[in-house]
Amino acid sequence: MKKINAQPFEFGFDLAHTALVIIDMQRDFIEPGGFGETLGNDVSLLEAIVPACQAVLLAWRQAGGLVVHTREAHRPDLSDCPPAKRNRGNPSLRIGDAGPMGRILVAGEPGNQIIPALAPVAGELVIDKPGKGAFYATGLHEMLQARGITHLVFMGVTTEVCVQTSMREANDRGYDGLLLTDCTESYFPHFKAATVEMIHAQGAIVGWTATSAHLLAAL
Ligand code: TIU
């Protein structure tokens, strides 16, 4: 059992039963010209976490832990994208429209790929998810159960949208979740700060938070 200095108190985990879950570190959110920018966001904020995410990913691989990558991705015919989602937000480009990096949030398009610095390798799970949460309509829970996973360490973007939704889904399914605070980012810094606080509030009502230095030390 490894132990990490975390908020609101120590997070203990056994590597064999813990997965590193990297949420939506894809070009659509992090690079100019993708979905994030079409929503009116400054994407440069998100790029800043890439080195910290990469350090954790490399250490986790070296330690032999399971890695899960997610992508927010819809089928080319958009049959898994409810109109309510496509029409939301009045973006300059909608999901499925042709953008500078291919069709926005469509599986297989250049903008939908995970950024090269964090690209999956053989043996890692890659989950295409039609929702904000990693568990909705993906089969992820069953895949984790089949591998005996009980604890999840989260990184990725954006903190208050896909990361928080996934942590809450995981929490309701009985996982203990830890968010690495320097490996997640939002287009809105005050939303990130509020999310981190609300996750570990009330005695870890959603989960734990810690910096990656503490995880790296434990590994
Ligand atoms: N817009 C925003 O903050 N996020 C998303 O649309 N998806 C994810 O968080 N991945």
Side-chain angles (χ1 to χ4, degrees):
M1 177 73 83
K2 297 183 187 302
K3 294 186 188 308
I4 299 183
N5 186 353
Q7 296 289 330
F9 45 78
E10 198 173 65
F11 180 78
F13 70 99
D14 176 356
L15 192 63
H17 299 287
T18 307
L20 176 66
V21 182
I22 310 174
I23 302 288
D24 300 0
M25 289 297 288
Q26 50 197 109
R27 299 182 63 201
D28 265 325
F29 295 112
I30 293 169
E31 295 183 9
F35 184 58
E37 196 171 75
T38 76
L39 291 170
N41 299 308
D42 171 8
V43 298
S44 65
L45 273 175
L46 272 53
E47 204 181 6
I49 66 165
V50 172
C53 292
Q54 194 177 34
V56 170
L57 175 58
L58 295 178
W60 195 266
R61 279 177 182 154
Q62 184 118 28
L66 177 67
V67 178
V68 179
H69 304 259
T70 71
R71 296 182 292 214
E72 188 169 348
H74 293 279
R75 296 189 197 117
D77 65 3
L78 302 186
S79 58
D80 58 356
C81 182
K85 181 177 182 186
R86 185 157 193 264
N87 296 332
R88 200 77 61 78
N90 201 21
S92 57
L93 291 170
R94 293 180 191 282
I95 295 169
D97 289 350
M101 292 194 290
R103 295 180 66 204
I104 303 278
L105 288 196
V106 170
E109 298 288 336
N112 206 238
Q113 304 309 310
I114 292 168
I115 58 170
L118 303 175
V121 299
E124 297 178 349
L125 299 179
V126 181
I127 306 290
D128 279 344
K129 61 186 187 51
K132 300 305 183 192
F135 289 84
Y136 169 66
T138 61
L140 176 59
H141 185 41
E142 292 70 21
M143 290 179 228
L144 295 176
Q145 282 184 311
R147 290 163 175 78
I149 299 295
T150 55
H151 289 56
L152 302 173
V153 176
F154 286 89
M155 317 195 289
V157 297
T158 60
T159 316
E160 80 282 10
V161 183
C162 291
V163 175
Q164 178 170 214
T165 303
S166 299
M167 283 195 78
R168 289 177 180 276
E169 286 182 329
N171 191 40
D172 283 349
R173 285 165 178 77
Y175 298 91
D176 280 336
L178 170 74
L179 175 62
L180 298 178
T181 53
D182 53 328
C183 298
T184 185
E185 195 48 86
S186 167
Y187 301 118
F188 308 92
H190 59 296
F191 285 174
K192 173 182 172 177
T195 302
V196 167
E197 212 176 312
M198 72 178 74
I199 283 170
H200 65 231
Q202 304 183 64
I205 191 84
V206 178
W208 285 254
T209 65
T211 61
S212 62
H214 288 116
L215 176 68
L216 293 173
L219 289 176

